[in-house]
Every structure is written in structure tokens, then in C-alpha cells.
Amino acid sequence: MNNAVAGFSKLSKKEKINWIANEYFSTPEEALNIIRNYWNTDEKLQQLHDEFIENTITNLYIPLGVAPNFLINGKYKTIPMAIEESSVVAAASKSAKYWATRGGFKATVIDTEKIGQVHFTFNGDAEKLNAFFNKIKPKFFSDTQNITKNMQQRGGGILDIYLKDKRDLLDNYFQLHATFETKDSMGANFINSCLEQFATTLKDEAQNANLEIEVIMSILSNYVPNCIVRAEVSCQIEDLTEKHIPNPRDFAERFVQAVQIAEVEPFRAVTHNKGIMNGVDAVVLATGNDFRAVEAGVHAYASKNGQYASLSHAKIENGIFTFWLEIPLALGTVGGLTSLHPLVKLCLEILQKPSAKELMEIVAVAGLAQNFAALRSLTTTGIQEGHMKMHLNNIINQFEANEEERHLIKTHFKKTAISHNAVVEFIENLRK
């Protein structure tokens, strides 16, 4: 690229695509064909997708799979998962089937409190500011009545507002720390609208009281340590027995040790929690929720005690094996993409139209199931055996194998260790 482009956002979709193709590709027509091949043939549906974000040129497809047989709080669920990584859906399905015969998953929403803040500076007497805040606090509620009316009718709204003195962290720094209940919506727009009105009220009332307050910004927090869901599985140790677990007590003890390592060793904890998020993100994405917000909040929660640690825990007590996690999840089943994206609506139908609380439970269970599958593999056969079997398809597709080659490759690697080099070498020899 030799020059910056001016007015790119004002170009038509066709003009944007032509510019991309001509600017970055030696064979522009080939690039154009790839871009067009991923357009939806339904023009109305494609337009809907085009308007989700800005400067859209095409669609990037991520596979949408389902993991059946999840017994959650006594009810069977089939969980939709949108993810590109091999073996994730298979592992979740395997865990679901395993625990369905051992009592299933138990899930409980502990709390659903969301948080937003108005960040401001004040260089003056903190006691005077505190008295001022207590005097005008009712006005924050009354001034947002037009925003909160509908939410209040659904049982939500503003829970409370606090004045927090943060001068130990930053000179003259204070904040309004507000808590919210947003029911079945994730609530970002609702919370931010309330916060901006809080900021306006704060500035106006400060001016009337001759207080020099400068509002820096108003924004919700994606760290929601009081919007927590717990998921767990448990059974008698002897009931853990299956093909790869001939000695259930030995397995349970190794499993607990594996979790304990992730509780104390951050290098392990990051990979351990990444496995949990394989399950969590896949369901969050499939249901049209914000997986970046969930990721940020969950990893902050994993560091809440001053060191990054495992989100899941395990124990053996009185002959009972228990494995559980507690994670913060701010999710919605109304608003945003949930009412716009046809596949998101379909996924919520598959989940039998869950409330936000029920979706929190489902997502937490998916994360726990994924973590169990990974730890079971790590402490028994090793994780690569199953993963590489799934990865074999990717290698076969990469080399565009025909049906005869595909059959020969899969037959050969049923009894041979799979590695990328081994598969490539086999394909090359086959084609010679």
C-alpha cells in the first residue's frame, strides 16, 4: 500500500472491495471471487449481516455445531457451539454423555448484579463531597426515571449508587459506583444510558453547589464479580469407572492434583482456563453475546486474589468426587443480535428459549464439561490422541484429498500415530 485512502467509509460496498482487491492482490479477480463466494445468496440476509458492523466486505464463517445429551438440573439440553477449533464439540459431547449417567450437571446462579461507573476528579474537602453526594443521591434515581421505567416493569433497574474515594490510587480521583439488575438483557446500553445521565446530574448539581467537579468518563464495567454462576458434577469415586479409568481412585486423585497445579501455577492456569473458555466462548458466540466482554471479566476474576489461578476446583471428600467452577457471566437473551441474527435465534430455540439466568447456567456447564474432558485426557491417555484424530481432517482438507485418498489416509492412521509431518509424508508417497 503506497498511499492512505481518503473517504473509505463513504465508498459503496463494491468500491471498497475493488479497492482492497486491486491494492493488495497481484490477481485481483481471484481475491474478488473468494470474497463473493462467502456472500449469502439471499440479498436481504446479506444486507442484514452487512449492517452489523462497518466497512463490511464479506462474511467469515465459523462452524456451528451442537453437543447433545447435557443433563442440567434434571433436564436434557442440546448445546449449540460456534467454534473453529477441532475436538472442542466432540469433547463437550463426550463429557455430557459421561455425566448424564452419573447424575448430570448441577448449576446455580448466585447473583446477577451488573456494575457501571462515573469517573470524576474533585480537588477539595472529601467530607463536603460526601455530604453533597448524600443530598443529591435521590436525584440520580429521579433523573433516570424515563430510562429505567421499562426495566423496572420487568423487575430490574438501578440497585444502588455509591460514592467511592480513590485518591489512594490517583490524585483527586473519585467515582460513582452504580449497581444494576438488567434481567434478560445483557444491559450494556441501558447501563451506559443511566451512567451518562448520572454524569449530567452530577455536573449540574455540582455547579449549583459551587463544587469543582470534572467528569472524565461514564462507562459500564465488564468485570462483574457479583454476577456469578456455579456449575458442578459429583459422584461416588467408584462410579468414575469407564474404559480409560480402570482405577477410579487413582484417576480421582490425579485429577484433583491436576486442578491443584492450575490453582497455584499461573503458567498452567492460563492454559487450563483457556480450555474452560473453549466451551464458554463457543456458546456465548452461538447465542449472540459478547465473548470479548465475558473473556475480560472471567480472566479478571481468575486474578481476584492477586495471582492468576484456576477457575475450576476439585476435591475428594467422604468417598465423593466433586468438580466445580464459579465464573462471572453477564449475558442476555433479549436485545442485540439475539433478535436480529437468524442463527442466533435458532440457537436460542435449540436451548428452549432460556432466560438470561438459564443461559448463564448452560454456558458455565459447557465450560466445566470442556475442562473435565481436557483434564480426563491429560491424566489418562494424553490430550494429543483425540485432538490429532480431529486435526487429521484439517490436514486432509488442506491437501484437497479426493475420496479414495481420504479413505486410504484415514485407514492408515487408525493404527499409526498422527503428526502433521507423518500425514504430509503419507500423502506425498501416495501421490507418487
Side-chain angles (χ1 to χ4, degrees), residues 65 67 70 79-93 95 271-287 291 294-295 298 311 325 327 329 331 351 359-374:
F70 271 93
I79 299 182
M81 305 178 78
I83 190 165
E84 84 300 336
E85 185 174 332
S86 302
S87 78
V88 169
V89 177
S93 301
S95 283
T271 310
H272 177 94
N273 290 344
K274 185 269 181 184
I276 292 172
M277 300 314 290
N278 276 344
V280 169
D281 284 352
V283 189
V284 171
L285 188 57
T287 56
F291 71 92
V294 167
E295 281 274 351
V298 165
L311 292 160
L325 62 71
I327 54 173
L329 291 173
L331 303 175
L351 290 173
L359 184 57
M360 286 172 69
E361 293 172 348
I362 291 164
V363 170
V365 163
L368 188 69
Q370 200 64 37
N371 197 208
F372 178 80

Side-chain angles (χ1 to χ4, degrees), residues 98-200:
Y98 178 89
W99 282 106
T101 59
R102 293 165 175 83
F105 294 83
K106 309 293 187 295
T108 310
V109 172
I110 297 170
D111 206 345
T112 55
E113 179 186 281
K114 315 283 175 60
I115 291 169
Q117 297 165 325
V118 177
H119 305 272
F120 67 95
T121 57
F122 171 72
N123 185 10
D125 185 347
E127 288 187 11
K128 188 175 181 182
L129 178 65
N130 192 57
F132 164 74
F133 169 74
N134 288 329
K135 182 181 177 183
I136 69 164
K137 184 176 177 179
K139 195 156 176 55
F140 291 124
F141 290 89
S142 60
D143 285 359
T144 52
Q145 190 60 40
N146 62 321
I147 301 169
T148 61
K149 184 180 177 182
N150 289 338
M151 185 65 76
Q152 286 174 328
Q153 288 174 351
R154 299 201 299 272
I158 305 162
L159 299 176
D160 209 344
I161 308 167
Y162 310 88
L163 173 66
K164 291 199 172 185
D165 186 338
K166 295 285 186 175
R167 289 175 298 170
D168 60 324
L169 303 175
L170 202 61
D171 288 347
N172 306 323
Y173 172 36
F174 292 83
Q175 65 182 222
L176 296 181
H177 183 95
T179 56
F180 301 84
E181 169 58 61
T182 61
K183 303 308 285 182
D184 285 336
S185 68
M186 187 270 178
N189 290 331
F190 168 76
I191 292 171
N192 286 333
S193 295
C194 288
L195 293 172
E196 289 185 1
Q197 181 56 57
F198 291 167
T200 299

Side-chain angles (χ1 to χ4, degrees), residues 67-72 75-79 92-93 95-96 105 365-366 369:
N69 302 317
F70 271 93
L71 183 60
I72 304 174
K75 295 180 180 177
Y76 277 100
K77 299 281 184 184
T78 295
I79 299 182
S93 301
S95 283
F105 294 83
V365 163

